[in-house]
Amino acid sequence: MTPLLEAHDLRVSTSAGRIVVDGVDLAVEPGECVALVGESGSGKSLTARALTALLPPGLTATGRVRFEGREIQLDPRRRPRALRGGGIGLLLQDPFTMLNPTARIRVHLEETRRAHGHGRPDRAEIAERLAEVGITDARVADRYPFELSGGLRQRVALAACLAAGPRLLVADEPTTALDATTQRGVLALLRRIQRARGMGLLLITHDLRVAFSFADKLLVMYAGSIVESGPPAAVRAAPAHPYTAALFAAEPPLDHRSSTLAALPGGVPSASAVAGRCAFADRCAWREPRCTASRPLPVARAAGQLSACHRAGEIPLGPPARSGGESPARAGRRESLLVVSGLTKSFPLPGRGQGGVQALRGVDLRVHEGESLAVVGGSGSGKTTLARCVLGLERPDGGDVEIAGRPLFPRRPGVPVHRLVQCVFQDPYSSLNPRHSIGFTLKEALRQGESTESVEELLARVGLPAQHAAKRPGDLSGGQRQRVAIARAIAVRPRLLICDEPVAALDVSVQAQILEVFRSLQAGGQSLLFISHDLAVVRQVADTVTVLHRGEVVESGDTATVLDRAGHPYTRSLLAAVPTGDPRWLEETSA
Amino acid sequence: MRPALRLLARRLPVSALLLLAVSLAVFGLLALSPGSTERALLGPRPATAEALDAIRHRYHLDQPFLVQYGHWLGGVLRGDMGVSVQTGEPVAARIAERLSITLELGLYATLLIVLLGVPLGLLAAARRDGAADHAVSAGAVLAVSAPSFAVGVLLLYVFGVRLGWFPVFGAGEEGWDRVRHLTLPAVALALSQIALVTRQTRAAAIDVVSRDHLTFARARGLPGRVIWRRYALRNTAVPVTTSVGLVLAYAMTGAVLVEVTFSLPGVGALVMESVSNKDVPVVQGVALSAAAAVIAVNLLVDLAYLALDPRLRQAAS
């Protein structure tokens, strides 16, 4: 059988000659689902863009790509329009920016149908096409994108892709911007449609477990080249490349608290820096001299499983071993540090008149001295509003917030709130002032906390070398920036550290490193309020869990109890939304 | 249409207040004019005791400033902006007789600005860093730094005197002849503004071109004309409308210099005459009308936003 898509020696480079994708070979059979997995900087998204001839300006692709047996052009200007969308479709990551903000949903489907030589679809056809992507409310057709939720917008975008009738769909991180529960629904839908249409699917993802559940074939990409490929079940049972094994090990498990998390030091190098040698060598525990002398070629390991490793077969790799047990026992309950009782907060919403959105409806919670509490919930559950109230950034409508025995509202003279509570935000790219050096930022924070600690000591506590003090945020990677953000928060010596999705924007291997930083803070007695939607992450850091749903606490208790014996249906749906890596994970959903 | 009505309900009182504030400043012009107010209003006529008395009585000059203002404002609201010092005609009539030329000139210039500026900006964005972009951008820098009166003189010399393609003087007859007469002035008025709108459009379009929704449109194989019209043009419309609104306001002040250069009997020329003859009532009348026009244009721009962007429609309702 001729493959639907066959790429040979695909390369992408900048106009300055820097290589970003370094000789990728891949094939997608008709009706097959291939997952391309990699961290940021691996070149997976640029591979998708190169295949769809949509590289951003300044980047050019070379290589041989055959689609349905015929060679196709990689030059955007020479790619025939009928092939775009009709041959190969592309679904992008961010549903919030993908649709035309000034056009109704209907228009997105109409223009795509007409662009491929069909008549303008009537109302019934539009309704049918929306129903295919699980939108049963036909009125959505007359809405504008901004009136819909992220999950609905991603479904609409999928419908717009399908309207062109693609034989191959390239989906570039289609669920990364979505809520965990929405992600599962959209992935299941994508898989169902792909099977029903017999369409080829190339899924680009950073999540190894999503790829395990989703794909018929798996490609693992690192620093511009493919390091391992094979059937998901085989790779999952026995990763053949040290990078795959490390990536797998860095995924936090949902069912237990792992005693060691950080498996991968450092970050992803650029493809140019590792040309002509094993790309992973610098971070590999099994490195030998030959690893840096030449680029290893893919060699067959087991049935259909290829690994680009000089030492494939010599080194014992396997799925991550279960390590550690439950959270380390802490000395008996100490006094309460944070007490939130009956907290309510609503926001006015334009067009809704009085009332608006009720973000918090009487929330009670308690953090003891030295304890870590995780607040979990999907988007719109009120968890960020809760954090902002505790930080004193938002004034609640009712209820009390008490920190170290002092009420936060109304404001009283004395020790200011920011000396008691500090925060680490989700996005390390926007939470640091780009014009200040790291040292300046940290010194400022140390002054605030009247701390005698030095910048060097502070950096050491978050695992950064002292030289970083002279650098600016722009010189650092995302993980390093988040370490700086943590250092800045603890410099003030807060009684309570609030972390609002602190690892959600980071790659898996970096996430594991940051979680280790939090654990070392915990060991030093720091109290944490940890806001997250990811229960597997929560399992690794929290002592107790409070589940928030539509502004109400639906369940709370010890982490192990809540996650292993969830009582509330909402908690169970959050648990079910965590990718397991098992193919049944997507089958069981009804969405 | 509800968001538009809500916007008007909110903005009209504000506009009225703004106009009131402007009118107070405009009325203050009279008090600030050099020499006695009676003299200023009398103009070149002989200053007999009777004439001065009549002026004092007519303009309530024996009463406090605010009462004078009240009487004047009452007159303005009834359409009476006083009489011209030079000719003794009502100010409103003098403005009205000159208005059509200026409006035609403004409309002509605006058409040039929109019909040339927007497509040139889109072209430059589409061929970013290509030859067309460099040419358009260089031309824009040149045009934006050329003052309209200098351009006017140059155009007059080249196309009027040397080549003889266009008339060099006056407004001509109604119809086609008027268009020919207004072409050089409109170009002189529009040139620097075309450059501004081109640059605005280019920047806005480059921003839109790099957005996901445009990439997604290309990924679905939409034809170029749909992408440029429905995606690029439509989504650059809001910033472009903003700059066109500013340009319209400029076209009115720019008209003063251009009308004088091309000897056009428009409102701009009237302002020049009135200022040099110290005809304060006419200057007041023109200033007030211009302020009203600028406020109206701004209101129209805000209404246009609502038509162009559904998100703003929702925010307004």
Side-chain angles (χ1 to χ4, degrees), chain B:
Chain B
M1 234 28 242
R2 280 218 9 234
L5 290 178
R6 291 179 78 103
L7 181 92
L8 284 177
R10 213 172 55 239
R11 289 289 305 277
L12 278 178
V14 178
S15 302
L17 276 177
L18 203 57
L19 210 50
L20 197 67
V22 172
S23 74
L24 190 60
V26 162
F27 183 73
L29 281 180
L30 187 60
L32 290 175
S33 54
S36 78
T37 312
E38 292 92 333
R39 284 286 192 173
L41 289 171
L42 201 56
R45 280 170 285 174
T48 60
E50 300 88 79
L52 286 172
D53 265 350
I55 288 284
R56 255 181 232 121
H57 180 70
R58 193 190 146 99
Y59 289 94
H60 309 277
L61 294 181
D62 42 1
Q63 285 168 6
F65 177 80
L66 279 180
V67 177
Q68 294 175 31
Y69 170 66
H71 281 289
W72 178 78
L73 191 65
V76 168
L77 289 176
R78 289 192 305 274
D80 172 16
M81 293 193 273
V83 292
S84 162
V85 171
Q86 270 177 289
T87 63
E89 289 170 278
V91 170
R94 288 209 69 187
I95 295 176
E97 113 194 51
R98 302 292 196 94
L99 196 60
S100 69
I101 294 280
T102 302
L103 284 182
E104 282 161 15
L105 179 63
L107 183 70
Y108 197 165
T110 305
L111 280 178
L112 287 177
I113 291 165
V114 173
L115 295 182
L116 288 174
V118 173
L120 281 174
L122 288 179
L123 175 76
R127 304 262 186 277
R128 189 180 180 185
D129 292 328
D133 181 22
H134 289 306
V136 168
S137 298
V141 170
L142 197 67
V144 83
S145 39
S148 60
F149 59 89
V151 173
V153 172
L154 188 72
L155 289 174
L156 265 183
Y157 180 71
V158 175
F159 296 99
V161 178
R162 294 308 293 258
L163 298 172
W165 293 354
F166 292 99
V168 297
F169 180 86
E173 301 295 314
E174 295 282 326
W176 182 240
D177 189 44
R178 174 67 54 82
V179 174
R180 280 193 54 218
H181 275 83
L182 289 184
T183 297
L184 289 185
V187 171
L189 187 56
L191 200 60
S192 62
Q193 306 305 303
I194 292 175
L196 280 180
V197 169
T198 300
R199 285 162 59 151
Q200 276 283 348
T201 308
R202 178 181 179 273
I206 281 177
D207 180 45
V208 168
V209 165
S210 64
R211 299 257 184 98
D212 271 359
H213 61 80
L214 211 113
T215 306
F216 189 52
R218 288 171 62 206
R220 282 178 290 146
L222 300 191
R225 68 195 143 75
V226 173
I227 291 180
W228 280 101
R229 208 182 55 228
R230 192 174 292 151
Y231 283 74
L233 190 57
R234 188 66 201 276
N235 285 290
T236 50
V238 166
V240 168
T241 307
T242 309
S243 64
V244 170
L246 292 173
V247 160
L248 267 177
Y250 164 85
M252 281 181 268
T253 48
V256 174
L257 293 171
V258 169
E259 283 176 13
V260 173
T261 310
F262 289 91
S263 321
L264 292 174
V267 177
L270 178 64
V271 170
M272 289 302 283
E273 286 165 42
S274 310
V275 167
S276 54
N277 292 314
K278 300 197 178 65
D279 195 342
V280 178
V282 172
V283 175
Q284 283 177 323
V286 173
L288 201 59
S289 316
V294 169
I295 289 172
V297 164
N298 274 308
L299 202 57
L300 283 177
V301 166
D302 283 352
L303 282 173
Y305 288 163
L306 295 186
L308 291 170
D309 196 327
R311 288 165 294 185
L312 297 174
R313 274 207 286 285
Q314 198 199 26
S317 63

